[in-house]
Amino acid sequence: MIIRPRRLRANQKIRDLVRETVLTKNDLIMPLFIDENLNAGDKKEIPSMPNQYRFSIDGVVEECKEIADLGIPAVILFGIPRYKDEIASSAYDKNGVIQKSIRKIKDELGDELLIIADTCLCEYTSHGHCGLIKDNKVLNDETLEILSKIALSYAESGVDVVAPSDMMDGRVGRIRSVLEENDYKDVAIMSYAAKYASSFYGPFRDAAESSPKSSIKDRKTYQMDYGNSREALREIELDINEGADMVLVKPALPYLDILKMAKENFNVPVGGYCVSGEYSMIEAAAQNGWLNREEAIMEALYCIKRAGADFIITYWAKEVANLL
């Protein structure tokens, strides 16, 4: 007897019926860039990320209304401040770009949209690194105090989730302690637990103006080595033990094995960040006619979900919500 698996691939209806992995709107998180330097209502396209924009504070509120109307449950916010210095003081300013945005979005939308705020220093430091610098070294313990101040300022502004993306040792525990001490027990932590020192972040650094500008030219002393996988499990376990409610693997597509390992080893929600370089590669290839853009987008996101992601941060969230 010939075994014929092709019977279950014969047409779209039967393929849909037996599909193991399902992608829904509830899996999507839309990243948004908010530029304090833009005038009210303005937006500015990001050259290396076609169809992605920096928004003014007022403009991002309108964008969030559209995202909520599409049924996307969450956004993650990244800020471009007017002022940068060596200690990222704009990042924890009560009237900073993200703090103002959180309050305005919450005033307009309430609980219709989950607000996640990226919690890091790189967009706010003059040197572009995720930690404080002294004697040509990125400092770990001294940076934790700044990170906890940023997280607390976001909580005070009404954020739902803080997302430390810095990869400093012990930062989740410090943030969790400060939130608890100040009675923000309900603010969740989504930790970038396995964040690799990746070449796929280039367009993001263009968008957020966060490229390293000091004599330390890369982030390899604190972001993970792409040759390691067991280390990722250790990082994830540490963050969970320190109080992370959700964990994130970044980037997603080159690290599907890490996503799968995380899902199989830990009982917390695991997300994948389909990063700017992954986005821009597909967009560039599609513009050149080298692949079917819509098919490639859906395949990429389904692969991230199949690997084990409970949620996906993706710049295609709005478009995919429409397709779904």
Side-chain angles (χ1 to χ4, degrees), residues 35-43 54-62 82 104:
D35 191 340
E36 195 174 21
N37 302 288
L38 294 179
N39 295 322
D42 285 354
K43 67 179 183 179
R54 295 181 188 171
F55 296 93
S56 66
I57 293 172
D58 290 327
V60 85
V61 174
E62 296 306 310
R82 191 170 288 120
K104 288 202 169 193

Side-chain angles (χ1 to χ4, degrees), residues 136-195:
N136 204 36
K137 182 179 179 181
V138 178
L139 305 177
N140 190 95
D141 295 2
E142 294 84 348
T143 298
L144 303 188
E145 182 62 28
I146 305 296
L147 289 165
S148 62
K149 289 171 72 172
I150 298 169
L152 180 58
S153 73
Y154 292 164
E156 290 170 341
S157 300
V159 81
D160 298 294
V161 183
V162 294
S165 61
D166 54 284
M167 289 300 288
M168 300 296 139
D169 295 336
R171 88 274 200 207
V172 172
R174 179 62 182 146
I175 289 169
R176 174 55 70 205
S177 294
V178 167
L179 292 176
E180 293 280 332
E181 289 164 7
N182 288 274
D183 202 28
Y184 290 104
K185 299 178 178 66
D186 293 333
V187 173
I189 297 176
M190 183 182 76
S191 169
Y192 289 66
K195 181 178 179 180

Side-chain angles (χ1 to χ4, degrees), residues 4 8 16 34 53 55 66 71 79 86 96 98 112 174 188 192 211 220 222 247 257 281 293 303:
R4 300 186 186 275
L8 299 182
D16 288 343
I34 311 166
Y53 299 87
F55 296 93
E66 185 176 330
E86 292 189 353
I98 295 299
E112 288 183 52
R174 179 62 182 146
Y192 289 66
S211 297
K220 293 182 179 180
Y222 49 99
V247 295
D257 60 322
M281 284 194 305
R293 179 179 176 277
C303 288

Side-chain angles (χ1 to χ4, degrees), residues 5-277:
R6 285 184 56 184
R7 292 191 191 104
L8 299 182
R9 305 174 201 148
N11 57 60
Q12 189 63 50
K13 290 296 183 185
I14 199 164
R15 291 194 295 271
D16 288 343
L17 183 70
V18 301
R19 175 168 275 178
E20 301 166 32
T21 302
V22 178
L23 183 71
T24 76
K25 293 180 182 182
N26 287 331
D27 299 318
L28 306 174
I29 299 172
M30 180 71 191
L32 294 172
F33 297 98
I34 311 166
D35 191 340
E36 195 174 21
N37 302 288
L38 294 179
N39 295 322
D42 285 354
K43 67 179 183 179
K44 184 177 181 181
E45 188 167 17
I46 300 162
S48 55
M49 298 178 70
N51 302 311
Q52 298 299 314
Y53 299 87
R54 295 181 188 171
F55 296 93
S56 66
I57 293 172
D58 290 327
V60 85
V61 174
E62 296 306 310
E63 183 71 5
C64 283
K65 289 178 182 177
E66 185 176 330
I67 289 167
D69 287 344
L70 285 169
I72 297 168
V75 294
I76 182 166
L77 307 181
F78 300 90
I80 298 96
R82 191 170 288 120
Y83 170 75
K84 300 189 180 196
D85 59 25
E86 292 189 353
I87 60 170
S89 60
S90 293
Y92 53 85
D93 186 337
K94 294 182 186 298
N95 289 307
V97 58
I98 295 299
Q99 290 82 351
K100 286 180 181 176
S101 298
I102 292 167
R103 291 193 293 267
K104 288 202 169 193
I105 296 166
K106 281 295 182 184
D107 284 346
E108 290 287 337
L109 291 171
D111 293 331
E112 288 183 52
L113 193 65
L114 193 71
I115 301 178
I116 307 167
D118 180 79
T119 306
C120 196
L121 277 65
C122 61
E123 297 137 68
Y124 303 90
T125 51
S126 52
H127 48 70
H129 276 285
C130 303
L132 303 177
I133 292 181
K134 185 178 181 181
D135 298 330
N136 204 36
K137 182 179 179 181
V138 178
L139 305 177
N140 190 95
D141 295 2
E142 294 84 348
T143 298
L144 303 188
E145 182 62 28
I146 305 296
L147 289 165
S148 62
K149 289 171 72 172
I150 298 169
L152 180 58
S153 73
Y154 292 164
E156 290 170 341
S157 300
V159 81
D160 298 294
V161 183
V162 294
S165 61
D166 54 284
M167 289 300 288
M168 300 296 139
D169 295 336
R171 88 274 200 207
V172 172
R174 179 62 182 146
I175 289 169
R176 174 55 70 205
S177 294
V178 167
L179 292 176
E180 293 280 332
E181 289 164 7
N182 288 274
D183 202 28
Y184 290 104
K185 299 178 178 66
D186 293 333
V187 173
I189 297 176
M190 183 182 76
S191 169
Y192 289 66
K195 181 178 179 180
Y196 283 83
S198 172
S199 60
F200 289 93
Y201 302 149
F204 175 93
R205 291 174 183 170
D206 176 31
E209 297 179 351
S210 62
S211 297
K213 300 175 183 67
S214 74
S215 56
I216 309 168
K217 299 302 182 185
D218 59 47
R219 295 180 172 132
K220 293 182 179 180
T221 63
Y222 49 99
Q223 293 178 356
M224 282 186 56
D225 184 339
Y226 53 66
N228 295 348
S229 58
R230 292 192 303 271
E231 184 186 6
L233 296 183
R234 186 181 183 210
E235 289 278 9
I236 292 168
E237 184 175 20
L238 286 168
D239 283 2
I240 293 169
N241 289 340
E242 289 177 21
D245 303 285
M246 302 176 277
V247 295
L248 194 63
V249 174
K250 180 183 180 184
L253 290 172
Y255 298 90
L256 295 179
D257 60 322
I258 308 300
L259 262 171
K260 184 174 178 61
M261 291 167 64
K263 185 65 174 177
E264 290 176 345
N265 283 276
F266 302 103
N267 291 319
V268 300
V270 177
Y273 195 146
C274 190
V275 300
S276 60

Side-chain angles (χ1 to χ4, degrees), residues 298-319:
M298 296 304 286
E299 181 179 347
L301 298 189
Y302 264 91
C303 288
I304 296 167
K305 188 77 189 295
R306 191 192 65 234
D310 296 295
F311 56 89
I312 303 170
I313 301 175
T314 171
Y315 299 95
W316 290 302
K318 287 175 62 181
E319 182 173 355

